Amino acid sequence: MSELTLEEANQLDEDAFVNRFGSIYETSPWVAERSWSEQPFSSVADLKGTFEGTVEDASKERKRELLDAHPDLGDRTEMTDASEREQASAGLDQLSPEQYEAFQRLNERYQEKFGFPFIMSVNDESPEAIRSAMEARVEHSRDEEFRTALNEVHEIARLRLDEMLTS
């Protein structure tokens, strides 16, 4: 997908906007659908802030669905192209059998405690750093981790938008 300028993004009709930005928040096109009406965006920061505000204004159930849309880290199941690239940048597509099993155990423990997958912006992180973050965050309270996971989702979306838009 080619990069787009902010001016070009501001000229997209709703269908084209959702088609272009609907994957920014992992398989949750409702974020782009609800954000489109805020055009024109004055800057890339404004566009990012609008997307984030749309998520923050959503119901807790909708936010939970957004978290649930993310794949487990280190899992070998089917995922979006963006998630695949991000996990590969962190080496999660090349885990040893021992590392893979450790990630699976941590993913299960995290999911059992919080009821949604562990989410972290993993671009260029190491498997060891991700595992360490998982081990630390599984000790959080439910509310603290819900907020942390949403913040990570926003960071992932910001990075994805940076890849889609030219300065």
Side-chain angles (χ1 to χ4, degrees):
M1 192 178 296
S2 62
E3 290 183 341
L4 206 63
T5 65
L6 181 64
E7 183 179 322
E8 290 168 331
N10 278 328
Q11 294 173 3
L12 296 174
D13 66 26
E14 184 175 7
D15 287 342
F17 187 87
V18 172
N19 185 50
R20 186 61 179 229
F21 299 111
S23 63
I24 295 296
Y25 283 88
E26 196 80 17
T27 65
S28 300
W30 62 268
V31 179
E33 289 168 1
R34 292 184 186 177
S35 299
W36 174 79
S37 63
E38 298 300 315
Q39 288 179 322
F41 304 101
S42 61
S43 65
V44 173
D46 181 32
L47 176 59
K48 291 176 182 177
T50 299
F51 280 131
E52 289 179 27
T54 297
V55 170
E56 293 302 323
D57 290 344
S59 68
K60 185 157 185 150
E61 294 76 29
R62 196 66 166 184
K63 290 174 189 170
R64 173 69 186 273
E65 290 171 7
L66 177 61
L67 297 181
D68 287 339
H70 284 263
D72 284 338
L73 293 179
D75 202 7
R76 294 184 178 140
T77 60
E78 196 168 318
M79 59 186 81
T80 65
D81 290 344
S83 286
E84 227 171 82
R85 280 192 309 277
E86 291 156 1
Q87 290 201 30
S89 80
L92 296 178
D93 61 337
Q94 298 176 8
L95 296 174
S96 70
E98 295 78 22
Q99 289 174 309
Y100 177 78
E101 287 304 317
F103 269 88
Q104 293 309 303
R105 282 192 304 277
L106 281 166
N107 280 324
E108 287 174 22
R109 182 173 168 216
Y110 185 95
Q111 182 73 252
E112 284 174 16
K113 181 170 182 180
F114 299 114
F116 52 86
F118 176 81
I119 301 168
M120 179 178 170
S121 176
V122 297
N123 275 351
D124 300 319
E125 293 284 352
S126 70
E128 295 76 23
I130 297 164
R131 182 177 174 179
S132 178
M134 290 177 86
E135 290 169 344
R137 285 176 48 193
V138 78
E139 301 303 324
H140 285 176
S141 70
R142 186 175 306 271
D143 289 342
E144 180 183 15
E145 192 53 26
F146 192 84
R147 178 75 260 157
T148 300
L150 277 176
N151 290 342
E152 292 291 326
V153 166
H154 290 313
E155 178 60 21
I156 293 165
R158 285 190 289 272
L159 292 170
R160 290 177 179 179
L161 268 171
D162 287 342
E163 289 180 1
M164 298 175 101
L165 295 170
T166 59
S167 306

